[in-house]
Amino acid sequence: MSKTTKKSSGLSTDKNWWRQAAIYQIYPRSFADSNGDGIGDIKGITSRIPYLKSLAIDAVWLSPFYPSALADGGYDVDDYRNVDPKLGTLADFDEMLAGLHKQGIRVFVDIVPNHSSNLHEWFKEAIDAKPGSKARDRYVFRDGKGANGELPPSDWVSHFAPSAWTHESTFGGKNGQWFLHWFAPEQPDFNWENREVQKDFLKTLTFWSDRGVDGFRIDVAHGLAKDLSEPFRSMPVHEGLEQRGNKGKGIWGDRNEVFAIYKEWRKVFNQYDPPRVAVAEAYVHPERLPLYASTKTLGQCFDFRFIETPFEAAAYKAATQEAVDLAKKNKSSCTWTLSNHDQIRHATKMGLNPAVERRDWMLSNGTSHPIDMKSGTQNALAATLYILGLPGSTYMYQGEELGLHEVTDIPEKDIQDPQYLRNLKVDKGRDGCRVPLPWTSSGSSFGFGSGGAHLPQPKWFADYSVEVEEKDSLSPLSIYRKALKLRSELQTKEDIKWHKTKDISVLHYSRPNGWHCITNFRGHAYPMPKGEILVASSPLVNGRITAGTTVWFKKK
Ligand code: NOJ
Ligand code: CA
């Protein structure tokens, strides 16, 4: 018997809605603050449902809102089946979900299965328990090396810290062992061979699905199954994509055993009508993406290739064609992404000379090289329209509809991200794309709330505020709204056809119903082909498409 989503919703009945959806990522702590404490919350999201509706999106994805001490922006979860009291209650969540559903907007929540936080009940129990106990087996505890176990069990490195092992005494343990953490020490890795761990996640997926959640974004989906056979293989530098792609035999990433976990999850998803869906965050070799995107496992997998593709015609065409071919071959759908909460905002990347080493530039607080914010925003919008026209789903990140830039000059005292705090002076981290959104051009936090903002907002946020952009029919927000609405009306079969252009800097493709998209990446203005213009990312000049512009048009 399948469990059906409540009928009161305004959701479409199409079971394949996710194949070509527009999904908007909300970073809850930075979206809207309802009670003036400087932290975005669930009621804040609910209060902005009319705004979300105005974007004509199909779904929102909420980054973690669970109880967390925020060692990693909420990706350190204390309790998977609750709402952080600083962000609201489960009742607030239900109200938000019902409100979004009523407006036809589906909801994805973030599942973080690779690790819990150190404050999770199970980890606290494990720290107090003896080596070899049931409680320790839910995580990965091992004896250290050296005469007295004073050295970590292996040379493995984590994303944020030099070692992937931390001595249990850090959190008060008295048994001299070390525990594994792929990310920060406050994010201990689960032992996914443990049946209790496996069953608990089935319970979490059921918990949210029963509440009516439509889909799940799976954090570090490639990382759950690890090779923990001893002696541990050596890995003094972080495992790269090639190693992970080693036919599913890497140490940490992308091992074949991970799919047994997702096949079991699929059974939960398919108990619902419509079936729940999932998208994997899997940093794997592109050839391995289809294994995560299979309808027997998670169903969809982010394709991150456009995050690093330079804004150039040849590179965009090659990336598009590769992704489309891969999806076709595997009967999956494409998943385009330009930005998310882990990346420098794409408007900023596109306003910076591509030769600039971005990590160093960020460390200089954005001062070592000039940035052209205007052309960055313009190119970003052109890239977005290019991507929104393609077959498949598009995942967008809050603020990109405003053409928002990265905040590069967050003072050291305000930085929250472990990517900086644990890697001091090597990486500025990801706070710059997580600064609370500007809703108005004035006010203590530009309308984010009635108090301050948990990360400092720069003065220039005023010009990018919703209030300012709503009044301008050529603003990024106005063009996003127009394009997303058109996209939902124009959506058609998952095919694409390329058309020849007279300039190597111009790409032109169309979809089966005569929906055309043309982008001029750089150089001379290009004559607009014949057809009815639907939307342009920047105005045409004398009937020509200028550099950094995408136009959608229709041919009869
Ligand atoms: C990926 C998330 O997107 C990122 O923000 C987080 O730091 C890591 N996974 C660890 O959970
Ligand atoms: Ca709040």
Side-chain angles (χ1 to χ4, degrees), residues 72 75 115 160 183 187 217 219-220 281 341-342 430 434:
D72 183 20
Y75 284 90
H115 44 265
F160 299 146
F183 293 89
Q187 294 167 293
R217 178 264 188 191
D219 190 66
V220 200
E281 186 218 27
H341 66 294
D342 292 331
R430 304 160 294 179
R434 301 174 179 181

Side-chain angles (χ1 to χ4, degrees), residues 508 514 516 518 527-533 543 553-556:
H508 177 182
H516 285 248
I518 183 164
M528 177 65 209
K530 283 208 178 65
E532 178 202 345
I533 296 180
F553 63 104
K554 190 109 207 216
K555 277 198 175 173
K556 297 272 152 51

